[in-house]
Amino acid sequence: MSRFLIPIAIGAAIGSALGYFGQCSSGTCPLTSTWWRGAIYGSVMGLLMALGSGR
């Protein structure tokens, strides 16, 4: 279970930090427009990396 939760949490943290600190001025950037959208994207990327590791 932690095999999936740890990469998801790390991805969500990185994605939310990117969304919070890397906001675009127009608000139309799909990843960095809000912090929660970045967290969702990061958690999905973390899950895909965990599934792709094959351990």
Side-chain angles (χ1 to χ4, degrees), residues 2-12 14-15 40-55:
S2 66
R3 176 182 160 210
F4 297 114
L5 292 180
I6 293 172
I8 289 172
I10 291 171
I14 292 172
I40 291 171
Y41 183 79
S43 62
V44 169
M45 290 296 118
L47 176 63
L48 290 175
M49 292 180 89
L51 290 174
S53 68
R55 285 198 238 170

Side-chain angles (χ1 to χ4, degrees), residues 13-36:
I14 292 172
S16 64
L18 179 66
Y20 182 76
F21 294 113
Q23 292 180 350
C24 62
S25 59
S26 64
T28 59
C29 305
L31 177 60
T32 60
S33 61
T34 58
W35 66 268
W36 58 267

